[in-house]
Amino acid sequence: EIALMENKLNGLIPSILFHLPELRKLDVRNNDISVGLNAVFQAEHLEELLLDKTLVTSLEGIGQATSLRVLHLTKTSFGWKTIPDELYDLKALEDVNLADAMLGGTLSSKI
């Protein structure tokens, strides 16, 4: 588990974090950081990803987080993009919070 919430971090969280073989939870809420999800597939055991109030603007790659159970992205800014279909493909996902995430469009038929 990596818990770095509310630490006044800024910049880009390095994708190397997803290479940690036993990473189960990444909590970087309430920081001025961006997180790229293109390497999330490396975190085979990642179950919780808490990115509330960060500068994340894309969910590209999230579909590769096959063990993900919890995903929180409240108060992020997706610029009114639609929820990507790959999010609906996460079979283990139990808890999703996208409140105030500036998402738009129509819901996929996969829901």
Side-chain angles (χ1 to χ4, degrees), residues 23-44:
L23 180 63
R24 295 192 185 281
K25 180 177 181 179
L26 178 60
D27 185 348
V28 292
R29 293 173 289 171
N30 300 320
N31 285 294
D32 289 333
I33 54 149
S34 185
V35 178
L37 300 173
N38 57 340
V40 74
F41 70 94
Q42 296 288 337
E44 295 177 8

Side-chain angles (χ1 to χ4, degrees), residues 33-107:
I33 54 149
S34 185
V35 178
L37 300 173
N38 57 340
V40 74
F41 70 94
Q42 296 288 337
E44 295 177 8
H45 302 289
L46 184 64
E47 296 178 353
E48 294 185 49
L49 188 55
L50 306 175
L51 303 172
D52 306 281
K53 294 184 179 179
T54 62
L55 303 177
V56 174
T57 59
S58 172
L59 289 175
E60 187 175 332
I62 194 67
Q64 300 172 37
T66 56
S67 296
L68 202 60
R69 292 183 312 102
V70 177
L71 177 63
H72 288 190
L73 290 155
T74 62
K75 297 190 178 186
T76 53
S77 180
F78 288 100
W80 305 111
K81 297 176 192 168
T82 59
I83 298 171
D85 278 349
E86 62 183 305
L87 185 65
Y88 301 109
D89 295 332
L90 295 172
K91 304 298 182 210
L93 205 55
E94 300 170 353
D95 179 3
V96 179
N97 192 337
L98 301 171
D100 290 329
M102 295 181 70
L103 289 161
T106 58
L107 290 174

